[in-house]
Amino acid sequence: MITLYTWSTPNGRKIPIMLEECGLPYSVVPVNIGKDEQFAPEFLRVSPNNKIPAIVDDEAEGGPLSVFESGAILTYLAEKTGRFLAPSGPARYKALEWLHWQVGGLGPMLGQLGFFAVRSDEKAPLAIKRFTEEADRLLRVMDKRLGEGPYLAGQDYSIADMACYAWTLAATSFLKDPLADTLGSVPNVHGWLERIGERPAVKRGMEVPKT
């Protein structure tokens, strides 16, 4: 059994989507970051960086294994199940490229834009401009890539798509006002969101945890 520690954020949705896609049995421990539960000692033993998501796999080879950081967890689960990440060759590295693109770029930039443009009571115009421009650039990079194939790694749905889905969906909802101009000019992104969003496992994963 896998224990999933997560919350209802774009980062927190990635791993339940993967677990649902793989059909792996898991239990959920909600970590309410609004109440600072990510700083609880029992959670820090699993995720020393006090960030969700994290997992503990009680059936890992060699005994229970805890894994934190969403990119690492997605890669671990893909290798555990042999699904959604090619075992070798170009397809594997394309998926890993776009997975790391999300972890290092799309997620942090959209997160910063959300803070400065939406959540913060005190607006900082320079910061809003900086992160709007970078979010615009990233979404256009994504749109160009999706004009070359149906999924980020190419022809096959992969952990890269799972990593990007919830964040990109947030760009069209939570961030729709600051990104209005961009969202009107990335048709391939919208088509990809529709394809991914129709998957039953994605629908189930997006509802975890129930809050």
Side-chain angles (χ1 to χ4, degrees), residues 107-142:
M109 294 303 104
L110 292 180
Q112 293 290 351
L113 178 59
F115 175 79
F116 285 108
V118 181
R119 293 197 305 273
S120 177
D121 293 330
E122 182 178 340
K123 302 306 180 189
L126 183 60
I128 293 171
K129 181 177 183 293
R130 166 75 179 93
F131 292 115
T132 300
E133 289 176 348
E134 183 62 4
D136 174 89
R137 186 190 71 81
L138 289 165
L139 288 170
R140 292 180 190 279
V141 167
M142 187 179 186

Side-chain angles (χ1 to χ4, degrees), residues 84-162:
F84 305 113
L85 178 65
S88 62
R92 176 183 179 84
Y93 294 104
K94 287 301 171 189
L96 291 174
E97 277 181 347
W98 288 98
L99 170 64
H100 288 277
W101 175 85
Q102 186 282 313
V103 170
L106 186 68
M109 294 303 104
L110 292 180
Q112 293 290 351
L113 178 59
F115 175 79
F116 285 108
V118 181
R119 293 197 305 273
S120 177
D121 293 330
E122 182 178 340
K123 302 306 180 189
L126 183 60
I128 293 171
K129 181 177 183 293
R130 166 75 179 93
F131 292 115
T132 300
E133 289 176 348
E134 183 62 4
D136 174 89
R137 186 190 71 81
L138 289 165
L139 288 170
R140 292 180 190 279
V141 167
M142 187 179 186
D143 192 70
K144 182 179 178 181
R145 173 59 179 171
L146 290 169
E148 300 168 353
Y151 301 107
L152 288 166
Q155 295 301 310
D156 296 324
Y157 175 63
S158 75
I159 56 174
D161 300 291
M162 299 180 208

